[in-house]
Amino acid sequence: MINPKFFYDTLASYGIDFYAGVPDSLLKNLCAYITDHADAQHNIIAANEGGAMGLAAGHYLATGQIPVVYMQNSGEGNIINPLASLTDPDVYNIPVLLVIGWRGKPGVHDEPQHVKQGKVTTGLLNVMGIDYTVLSKEEDKAEAQIKKAVAYMQATKQCYALVIEKDTFDTYTLQNIEKNDLTMTREEAIQAVAFALDAKDCIVSTTGMISRELFEYRTAKNEGHERDFLTVGSMGHASQIALGIALAKQDRKIWCFDGDGATIMHMGGMAIVAQKAPKNYIHVVFNNGAHDSVGGQPTVGLNIDLPRIARAVGYKHTFSVSTKEDLVDILKDVKVNDGPTLLEIKVKKGNRKDLGRPTTTPIENKEALMAFLSEE
């Protein structure tokens, strides 16, 4: 495997020292090293991958130095627009080194949401005209690949991608961890909110740990999963899925279980929720200030005022709690008030190590939910 320090230092030897992106589990050791060794002006965890491309382009325009954008392959969808209309040689011709985690690589078992992404990872690069290589797990070969990539970008001013397989980077533990005094776990908060729901209520939960913890809660309570839509992919879009359901099923309360990273990724969705003003819509953001599912890299979630943002775009009611006692109390008001409502629940980072994954398929989940929603 490659030592993250080796990779970081090799890029630095070519004057490449600016990073932007969205963390990925296959890149968590590299991202942790970057977080610990690059200052805040040279490593920016972006709202989404398209935004990271904008940051990278700005850095190149200002310095002439090649930047790096890191991401999971699911983020390719978010970078297609800037790849085609900003960095492309037919437009501004700006070189960016893309470091892409290859989840769902064909032949390697992975979760359902990564299967299609894995199949099209290199195909999308081909369609966009992005030259690439799969980074070797041997440092001498990887060094030669990086040298070739840099020479290509310097000569053509075009983007180049390093595609990263599982277990490419050696272990590195993040040292620069932001600490807080929050005591409630996300799982406790999810259980408290789910317990308070009425029988006809529906939940749309975002990708990652939130959907996994909700699924396990139902299993532990010997309940079915038909009331929950587990958005196992499509990060940042759970709020709009929930809005679509809420507008069509106005006789039911629709709860969106969101994360801070997902909310920030496509924050404009909050404005659409507010303008459509569904009275039956409750947006719950479990905010721990971290991308917990992919290594715990920080978000700006705990540094911004989400309830104030929600009020500014037009949410009717907003609440913020950080203890289980306050959460249980505030849920009484949340349930009776007309929405749209935003409930921010501040929770500590981390999850239990034996947390499982949904045992139903996405199609089974979809069909069960649709049958539940069709009931009078």
Side-chain angles (χ1 to χ4, degrees):
M1 289 190 285
I2 297 174
N3 188 314
K5 181 180 186 302
F6 169 83
F7 185 87
Y8 183 88
D9 289 347
T10 301
L11 292 186
S13 71
Y14 294 104
I16 299 175
D17 64 358
F18 179 87
Y19 296 83
V22 177
D24 168 45
S25 58
L26 299 191
L27 306 177
K28 66 180 181 181
N29 297 316
L30 174 63
C31 288
Y33 189 88
I34 294 168
T35 297
D36 281 345
H37 292 84
D39 63 44
Q41 303 304 314
H42 289 80
N43 179 39
I44 301 175
I45 297 177
N48 57 58
E49 296 83 359
M53 288 295 293
L55 286 162
H59 178 79
Y60 178 80
L61 292 172
T63 67
Q65 297 296 319
I66 296 169
V68 178
V69 167
Y70 52 82
M71 72 188 80
Q72 186 180 110
N73 52 350
S74 61
E76 284 183 309
N78 283 334
I79 66 166
I80 285 177
N81 184 303
L83 278 177
S85 61
L86 176 63
T87 60
D88 191 84
D90 287 338
V91 193
Y92 292 105
N93 199 29
I94 295 174
V96 178
L97 179 63
L98 308 174
V99 179
I100 304 173
W102 198 356
R103 295 296 304 269
K105 178 186 176 183
V108 178
H109 176 72
D110 213 324
E111 299 306 309
Q113 68 270 28
H114 298 300
V115 173
K116 184 66 174 184
Q117 298 282 5
K119 291 178 181 177
V120 302
T121 295
T122 56
L124 287 174
L125 294 173
N126 288 329
V127 168
M128 299 304 298
I130 307 298
D131 202 358
Y132 70 91
T133 189
V134 178
L135 189 66
S136 174
K137 298 179 183 179
E138 299 176 31
E139 290 187 351
D140 57 340
K141 293 180 180 179
E143 185 175 22
Q145 291 174 317
I146 293 170
K147 180 179 180 180
K148 177 182 175 182
V150 173
Y152 173 85
M153 289 185 289
Q154 290 173 336
T156 67
K157 301 296 187 291
Q158 295 186 37
C159 294
Y160 191 94
L162 297 176
V163 180
I164 311 299
E165 298 176 303
K166 184 178 180 181
D167 296 327
T168 293
F169 289 105
D170 205 352
T171 301
Y172 179 86
T173 301
L174 181 67
Q175 304 298 312
N176 185 19
I177 300 175
E178 295 183 5
K179 296 181 180 180
N180 55 60
D181 58 359
L182 296 170
T183 59
M184 181 169 39
T185 68
R186 182 185 51 245
E187 191 164 17
E188 288 174 331
I190 286 172
Q191 291 171 359
V193 179
F195 179 78
L197 267 60
D198 293 331
K200 290 184 65 176
D201 291 3
C202 167
I203 299 173
V204 176
S205 58
T206 191
T207 188
M209 298 298 182
I210 291 175
S211 282
R212 292 169 63 181
E213 288 170 345
L214 176 60
F215 187 91
E216 292 227 334
Y217 168 76
R218 298 291 192 202
T219 300
K221 297 284 287 184
N222 292 315
E223 296 177 353
H225 304 281
E226 68 279 355
R227 291 191 287 165
D228 310 326
F229 184 80
L230 309 176
T231 315
V232 294
S234 300
M235 183 174 174
H237 296 299
S239 71
Q240 303 304 285
I241 298 171
L243 176 60
I245 296 173
L247 294 173
K249 294 292 182 180
Q250 296 184 25
D251 61 328
R252 298 173 183 263
K253 291 279 189 182
I254 309 301
W255 300 67
C256 175
F257 280 17
D258 224 344
D260 52 299
T263 300
I264 293 165
M265 179 168 278
H266 295 296
M267 192 178 285
M270 292 174 64
I272 305 304
V273 170
Q275 291 305 301
K276 290 304 173 185
K279 294 181 179 180
N280 58 329
Y281 187 99
I282 304 169
H283 193 173
V284 185
V285 180
F286 299 92
N287 185 0
N288 65 358
H291 287 287
D292 223 7
S293 299
V294 289
Q297 302 297 318
T299 73
V300 297
L302 292 175
N303 300 323
I304 62 176
D305 192 335
L306 284 172
R308 187 174 181 181
I309 292 168
R311 289 194 298 274
V313 298
Y315 277 61
K316 192 168 183 179
H317 299 282
T318 63
F319 305 90
S320 181
V321 297
S322 59
T323 68
K324 188 172 181 180
E325 293 75 18
D326 288 345
L327 173 59
V328 172
D329 286 341
I330 211 69
L331 282 169
K332 301 169 187 176
D333 292 329
V334 170
K335 289 180 64 177
V336 299
N337 287 330
D338 285 343
T341 297
L342 181 114
L343 170 59
E344 176 191 46
I345 308 176
K346 295 182 179 180
V347 296
K348 63 182 182 180
K349 289 173 59 174
N351 56 276
R352 55 185 170 87
K353 301 305 180 185
D354 61 346
L355 181 64
R357 295 181 182 274
T359 55
T360 56
T361 68
I363 291 177
E364 289 171 340
N365 178 210
K366 175 200 71 174
E367 292 177 345
L369 176 85
M370 292 181 72
F372 171 72
L373 291 175
S374 69
E375 297 172 359
E376 295 297 332

